[in-house]
Amino acid sequence: LEAENNELRSALAFKKQTEFDVVSAKVIRKQPLLWGKTIEINRGADEGIGVSLCVLASNGGLVGKVQLPGQEISSVLLITDEGSQVSARVEGSTEFGQVVGRRTNYGEAPRLRLRYLSKNAALQKGMKVYTDGRGKLFPANIPIGTIEDFESGPVYGEAEIIPAVDFSNLQTVFVITNSPGS
């Protein structure tokens, strides 16, 4: 009961402080065979939920985007899915890249990969990664995660990222209803 109370307080605080118009939603189902790929929320087209709307956690971190809105229930594609792509920037650097989900074993915490970085990028563990707003799908400056490790490749570098969102305890999310491009 205490944990639920804390979650509701956090959600209320986020809704008050965010600059976006948001609709709060409860996570009602995590797909067991598709863990790390999708969740279902208890909001749909009846509340203005549409395809590709950005979904955030109560800490402001990026969860994903609405993939399939129904009348009352919608499916959300998580950023931890290997098919998800988010244009991103690394704070305190000139580095831009593309965040994709990384396959993990069942029970492991999800990780992300930041691809197409300069092969000699000066990135350090703990640097923050944010959306950059390119493509207008996700608004700029939404937290994605923090750099855990950087690997230089022959053409470009890649970084492993710890997500800003605790996907294992995700209970309440917020769908941005005012499109960033409008």
Side-chain angles (χ1 to χ4, degrees), residues 39-104:
I39 57 172
E40 289 184 356
I41 58 174
N42 69 341
R43 298 283 186 255
D46 292 347
E47 289 94 5
I49 306 300
V51 174
S52 296
L53 292 181
C54 181
V55 181
L56 306 176
S58 59
N59 69 352
L62 184 62
V63 171
K65 67 178 181 175
V66 175
Q67 181 178 34
L68 184 61
Q71 286 305 110
E72 298 172 358
I73 295 174
S74 297
S75 176
V76 174
L77 179 68
L78 302 176
I79 62 170
T80 55
D81 181 80
E82 290 176 296
S84 177
Q85 299 178 9
V86 181
S87 183
R89 67 176 178 80
V90 180
E91 184 178 53
S93 79
T94 58
E95 293 296 325
F96 288 84
Q98 185 177 71
V99 173
V100 295
R102 194 190 98 199
R103 184 175 297 188
T104 56

Side-chain angles (χ1 to χ4, degrees), residues 108-146:
E108 287 182 350
R111 292 286 194 259
L112 304 167
R113 295 292 290 176
L114 178 56
R115 295 182 173 167
Y116 309 117
L117 299 166
S118 303
K119 70 178 184 176
N120 296 321
L123 301 183
Q124 299 171 1
K125 183 176 180 172
M127 294 178 88
K128 305 277 187 214
V129 179
Y130 295 91
T131 57
D132 71 3
R134 294 179 188 186
K136 301 196 185 288
L137 181 60
F138 300 106
N141 302 317
I142 295 175
I144 297 173
T146 56

Side-chain angles (χ1 to χ4, degrees), residues 30 35 57 59 61-63 109-110 162-171:
K30 296 176 183 178
W35 175 238
N59 69 352
L62 184 62
V63 171
I162 297 173
V165 174
D166 180 0
F167 287 94
S168 64
N169 291 318
L170 197 58
Q171 297 174 19

Side-chain angles (χ1 to χ4, degrees), residues 154-167:
V155 178
Y156 60 86
E158 288 191 4
E160 182 172 337
I161 301 172
I162 297 173
V165 174
D166 180 0
F167 287 94

